[in-house]
Amino acid sequence: MKLASYWLDTAPPFTGGIDAPVSGRFDVAVVGAGFTGLSAALALAKKGASVAVLEAGEVGGAASGRNGGQCNNGFALDYRSTAALLGEERAASLYHAYDAAVDTVERIVGEEGIACDFRRTGKLKLAAKPEHFDKLQRTFEAVSRHADPDTMLVRREDLGSEVGSERFFGGLVYRKSAGMHVGKFARGLATAAAGHGASIFERSAVTRMRRLEGAAHEISTVRGTLRADQVLMATGASMVGPLGWFRRRIVPIGSFVIVTEPLPRDVLDRLMPTRRMATDSKNVGTYFRVTPDDRLLFGGRARFAVSNPLSDEKSGKVLRRALNATFPQLRDARIDYCWGGVVDMTADRLPRAGERDGLFYSMGYSGHGTQMATHMGTVMAEVLDGRAERNPFAGLDWKAIPGHFGRPWFLPFVGAYYRLQDVLH
Ligand SMILES: Cc1cc2nc3c(=O)[nH]c(=O)nc-3n(C[C@H](O)[C@H](O)[C@H](O)COP(=O)(O)OP(=O)(O)OC[C@H]3O[C@@H](n4cnc5c(N)ncnc54)[C@H](O)[C@@H]3O)c2cc1C
């Protein structure tokens, strides 16, 4: 078993980075080369701006290359909870932003010719308890009435056509959702951005940022310093560099994934006949999908812990037990990959984007960013160009999380709380 992301291990390498020291003057500096930063760099470079992307590690090396590969419409949180929080009209409009986000990924894949197995499979949300199906039914009624008629409720007796598991009590299908190979997409996006003229500096962690006289910024990295007129922070759940204000607003939560050996087609046809992107309804739940080369990818929060090789392996064992419980047919299947990543969670699980003290930012996708991060990169390219009204998340309040000073000391307590909720509800 490899303790590595299957997506990054099976994608062609990115070879378009700049080896020279970081220096020069640019129209825009983008900090972070995940989906947000890379799609912003691509859109800005296509507009003719000079762009430098400063990445602490490698392109797509954080959440963007380590996720579940689900490119879903719909919210991270339940539709009805979002409507209760923001009102019906805003909830419907944000829901449509997620539809647009899947469209953005599909458009970029087509325009840039990125071979990343993008496919509109649909998403299947599965009820893990009988009472969860009642909730799914109420969500279906609200979503189909106010936001998305392209959804379908599946009762338990019909669920065999969707998933070969006895564990679930019905499901809700969101047909606009898609799946893709996120390693190929991330590196393809980087190649496209570099091809349109963006300068991508890997292994260039930003260590200091300073506002100069006038409007320009000076940005110091471990590989040199540059100047830029505008800066976009696309740093996700970053624990590196001078990002304290953001860090106090984002909870970095570990999420873990295992991937089996390639499985026979007839087995997959029984387990996942529609090949949808599946997720269950628990707070500490699981998600799964078939990879383009016929493996089963199975992920979840497993443990409320940070990701490192030891932690990933422990979480992999928890996931293996959950996989066996979901699909006993795969009890003997070999696990080829196991890894973890960090989700940039906000308190209400909605992203935040805008400008603060002359720095633009977009982050906090809360486990729902393969599509929205990509979309927000293109949106932020327009916001930097003076079109603030394009930002669907404008105006959302963003308070610091009480007691959160950057290191998530409280994760075990959050985990215990959510596990209790799963037992009680
Ligand atoms: C295990 C896991 C499973 C997930 N599954 C799904 C899923 O199935 N579907 C879905 O929609 N979403 C999923 N997500 C969430 C999704 O991956 C993210 O929302 C999305 O990738 C965020 O992209 P980003 O570009 O904003 O951030 P990231 O991909 O995290 O990129 C941020 C980049 O900024 C860099 N950086 C940080 N600080 C600095 C600094 N000081 N200097 C320079 N660079 C810096 C980091 O190195 C990193 O590369 C999952 C996440 C995880 C971890």
Side-chain angles (χ1 to χ4, degrees), residues 115-130:
C116 64
D117 306 292
F118 178 92
R119 229 187 103 214
R120 293 262 185 183
T121 53
K123 166 176 112 172
L124 174 65
K125 175 110 185 211
L126 289 158
K129 291 182 170 187

Side-chain angles (χ1 to χ4, degrees), residues 178-305:
M180 63 174 165
H181 187 306
V182 287
K184 291 181 183 173
F185 181 61
R187 289 181 182 159
L189 207 49
T191 303
H196 286 282
S199 303
I200 300 182
F201 297 90
E202 296 178 290
R203 290 166 288 287
S204 300
V206 169
T207 51
R208 187 159 169 262
M209 290 190 287
R210 195 162 70 93
R211 201 75 189 267
L212 301 173
E213 286 295 314
H217 302 257
E218 184 182 77
I219 305 184
S220 304
T221 76
V222 294
R223 276 180 56 200
T225 298
L226 58 68
R227 288 185 176 192
D229 294 331
Q230 291 180 302
V231 180
L232 173 65
M233 305 303 293
T235 43
S238 171
M239 298 305 282
V240 188
L243 300 162
W245 190 86
F246 298 109
R247 228 166 261 147
R248 286 190 291 280
R249 285 158 175 79
I250 285 181
V251 182
I253 291 192
S255 187
F256 305 89
V257 184
I258 53 176
V259 169
T260 67
E261 63 184 312
L263 301 168
R265 279 276 161 88
D266 61 313
V267 172
L268 289 174
D269 288 343
R270 285 195 297 275
L271 300 187
M272 305 278 301
T274 48
R275 303 294 197 267
R276 296 201 202 280
M277 303 291 115
T279 167
D280 79 32
S281 56
K282 284 190 176 173
N283 286 307
V284 189
T286 57
Y287 48 85
F288 44 94
R289 59 160 293 177
V290 176
T291 65
D293 62 349
D294 289 343
R295 300 163 186 270
L296 191 84
L297 177 152
F298 195 90
R301 242 160 262 159
R303 296 157 56 246
F304 273 71

Side-chain angles (χ1 to χ4, degrees), residues 344-403:
D344 52 344
M345 203 71 89
T346 60
D348 58 11
R349 301 184 68 180
L350 286 169
R352 292 298 190 275
E355 182 189 357
R356 183 189 172 265
D357 283 353
L359 291 181
F360 292 89
Y361 62 88
S362 184
M363 55 188 74
Y365 306 102
S366 304
H368 233 57
T370 60
Q371 64 317 88
M372 191 47 83
T374 309
H375 184 60
M376 284 308 293
T378 66
V379 166
M380 292 312 288
E382 293 194 49
V383 172
L384 264 69
D385 215 7
R387 300 195 57 199
E389 77 284 357
R390 288 279 292 113
N391 176 7
F393 301 103
L396 291 182
D397 198 18
W398 201 14
K399 292 198 177 67
I401 293 168

Side-chain angles (χ1 to χ4, degrees), residues 155-167:
R155 296 188 178 278
R156 189 178 195 190
E157 54 272 26
D158 302 322
L159 204 55
S161 61
E162 292 283 345
V163 64
S165 170
E166 298 300 314
R167 244 193 73 197

